[in-house]
Amino acid sequence: MGKKKGGLIFKAGGSNMQHVTSLSFLLLAYSNYLSHANKAVPCGERSASPALLKQLAKRQVNYILGDNPLGMSYMVGYGSRFPQRIHHRGSSLPSVAAHPARIGCKAGSRYYLSPNPNPNLLLGAVVGGPNVSDAFPDSRPYFQESEPTTYINAPLVGLLAFFSAHP
């Protein structure tokens, strides 16, 4: 586990943003614990204070929301630049209003492989995020980077709630 040039926590394999949001949530929880216990974590010659842990968690949230080398938010619909081609069937297929006929599994491939943006925005969904080079292909077949999951979004909700209440 390490950090990318842009400052995002990175763990190789799978969808990286799951690690970022979960670890950031844990950093915040531990920061609050240390703060109430009036303690810090010794780390070699240095010390990690509750404020430092909270700052690291906030930095990760800011990266997710657009303070990163690409200047893009990894939350669909947030900011002026966000993922357009997420790996999500309901978001990438046309709506029933636009295409009332049934779309079978294999028939969905033409939408999956399309270079066009998804016709339905999955507002608030956070995708897997950039790769080890801080690059983001914004392409459905790159599911590790473009797929939103509940285990990415759930810890982020806790972080956003905390930072909203404690700016």
Side-chain angles (χ1 to χ4, degrees), residues 89 93-94 96 99-108 111:
R89 190 169 177 86
L93 293 176
V96 175
H99 189 288
R102 181 181 179 279
I103 299 172
C105 285
K106 300 259 189 231
Y111 302 103

Side-chain angles (χ1 to χ4, degrees), residues 4-6 10 63 69-70 130-136:
K4 298 183 194 193
K5 291 181 293 186
F10 188 79
Y63 186 108
L70 294 179
N131 62 26
V132 70
S133 304
D134 279 314
F136 181 73

